């Protein structure tokens, strides 16, 4: 379900952005759908509602800010380049994780871990150089997204150490709500003046307003669903299993979106993508001895999001 929902999200997210190239509004809507979804689950007691306190909200402010940066940057990247290219660049997240964790003093890594990130850098570089749809904004968006999600993981572990009783799904729900409050006012400032004109162009291009509405709704619903599925899975699997699963997920998403959107892929581009993803797999293996069996109340190794 995690893979299937992620594929559906990526397809309809890109379909909407092709017609309505306003990632700030779309990213805000996706957070809004997730926020409403969680409020419904809590209201009908389908999901246990965590106890809310001022210290808990304060502890979430930092991780939510970095989550917002990661989410909007990924959406900007999706709007500028092929979905497959964004996912290849986002597979380099372990590189940023190792670097920032070392700089901030959160962790130290053995030589095998540093060696495992070399093929990730090589593969992403090769894929970027040979990418047909290359766009500098798309590249920077994916890279900044990696930084955002890595810092979210680091600071959530730091600030949420006292709230380990909060499970992953509830934590993600509150992160979504606070992120929406961060993002939407900025979205209005950045692109709000263009929304009405862009909406009319999108409706004219698609022909049927209902089709456009369905695509937007699917992008929002499946953005939350695939995140929910991943956190439910994390309740029963180790961070290492999740990290390997996340690597394979990118392979599935890349192949699916290439087939759906018929993006041209050069042989060297495919080779670079394969090397980068294989490097991510090596990283997960190299860090396996450092991974605890279970980490409650924080974002697990490998991150999540777009």
């Amino acid at each position: 379900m995690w893979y299937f929902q992620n594929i559906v999200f990526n397809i309809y997210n890109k379909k909407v952005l092709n017609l309505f190239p306003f990632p700030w509004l779309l990213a805000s809507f996706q957070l809004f759908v997730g926020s409403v979804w969680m409020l419904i689950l809590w209201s009908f007691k389908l999901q246990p509602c965590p106890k809310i306190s001022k210290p808990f909200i304060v502890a979430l402010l930092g991780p939510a800010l970095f989550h917002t940066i990661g989410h909007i940057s990924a959406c900007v990247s999706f709007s500028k380049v092929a979905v497959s290219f964004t996912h290849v660049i986002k597979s380099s997240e372990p590189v940023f994780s190792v670097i920032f964790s070392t700089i901030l003093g959160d962790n130290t890594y053995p030589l095998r871990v540093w060696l495992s990130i070399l093929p990730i850098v090589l593969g992403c570089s090769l894929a970027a150089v040979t990418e047909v749809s290359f766009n500098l904004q798309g590249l920077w968006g994916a890279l900044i997204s990696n930084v955002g999600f890595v810092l979210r993981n680091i600071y959530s572990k730091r600030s949420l150490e006292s709230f380990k009783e909060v499970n992953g799904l509830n934590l993600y729900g509150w992160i979504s709500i606070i992120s929406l409050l961060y993002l939407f006012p900025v979205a209005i400032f950045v692109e709000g003046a263009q929304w009405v004109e862009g909406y009319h162009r999108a409706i004219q291009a698609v022909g049927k307003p209902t089709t456009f509405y369905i695509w937007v709704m699917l992008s929002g619903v499946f953005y939350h669903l695939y995140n929910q599925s991943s956190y439910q899975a994390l309740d029963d699997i180790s961070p290492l299993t999740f990290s390997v699963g996340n690597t394979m997920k990118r392979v599935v998403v890349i192949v699916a979106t290439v087939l759906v959107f018929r993006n041209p892929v050069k042989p060297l581009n495919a080779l670079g993508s394969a090397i980068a993803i294989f490097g991510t797999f090596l990283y997960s293996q190299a860090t396996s001895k450092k991974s605890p069996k279970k980490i409650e109340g924080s974002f697990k190794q490998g991150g999540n999001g777009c």
Side-chain angles (χ1 to χ4, degrees), residues 10-220:
N10 277 278
I11 290 173
Y12 286 99
N13 188 59
K14 184 62 175 177
K15 280 179 176 286
V16 173
L17 288 171
N18 284 341
L19 290 174
F20 187 75
F22 299 102
W24 290 78
L25 177 59
L26 187 60
S28 298
F29 177 75
Q30 289 160 356
L31 292 172
F32 171 74
V33 171
S35 300
V36 172
W37 188 285
M38 290 306 300
L39 289 172
I40 291 173
L41 292 183
W42 290 328
S43 298
F44 288 94
K45 298 182 179 180
L46 299 174
Q47 172 72 15
C49 184
K51 294 180 180 179
I52 305 305
S53 63
K54 184 177 179 181
F56 177 64
I57 297 299
V58 170
L60 283 175
L61 294 179
L65 176 62
F66 290 121
H67 179 81
T68 306
I69 293 171
H71 179 45
I72 182 55
S73 299
C75 286
V76 168
S77 180
F78 284 131
S79 72
K80 300 295 183 181
V81 295
V83 175
S84 55
F85 179 63
T86 298
H87 276 282
V88 171
I89 301 303
K90 281 180 66 61
S91 70
S92 67
E93 187 175 314
V95 177
F96 294 89
S97 181
V98 170
I99 292 173
F100 278 97
S101 293
T102 302
I103 291 174
L104 296 173
D106 265 47
N107 223 331
T108 56
Y109 294 91
L111 179 61
R112 67 177 184 275
V113 174
W114 286 96
L115 292 176
S116 73
I117 69 176
L118 293 180
I120 301 177
V121 175
L122 173 63
C124 286
S125 301
L126 182 59
V129 170
T130 57
E131 173 60 34
V132 175
S133 68
F134 181 82
N135 175 283
L136 197 57
Q137 282 183 281
L139 173 63
W140 275 109
L143 291 174
I144 293 172
S145 177
N146 284 343
V147 173
F149 285 128
V150 164
L151 291 177
R152 178 201 65 180
N153 297 345
I154 292 173
Y155 281 97
S156 68
K157 184 177 179 181
R158 285 183 179 182
S159 61
L160 296 167
E161 190 69 24
S162 302
F163 303 97
K164 292 183 178 181
E165 72 281 0
V166 181
N167 67 30
L169 182 55
N170 281 339
L171 177 62
Y172 177 73
W174 278 105
I175 288 280
S176 296
I177 292 171
I178 298 174
S179 294
L180 174 62
L181 298 177
Y182 277 138
L183 184 59
F184 188 59
V186 182
I188 295 174
F189 176 77
V190 172
E191 51 182 38
Q194 308 170 63
W195 288 344
V196 175
E197 183 181 351
Y199 166 78
H200 290 299
R201 286 200 306 267
I203 295 302
Q204 186 176 12
V206 76
K208 295 180 179 180
T210 306
T211 300
F212 178 70
Y213 300 151
I214 291 174
W215 289 0
V216 172
M217 185 58 67
L218 287 173
S219 77

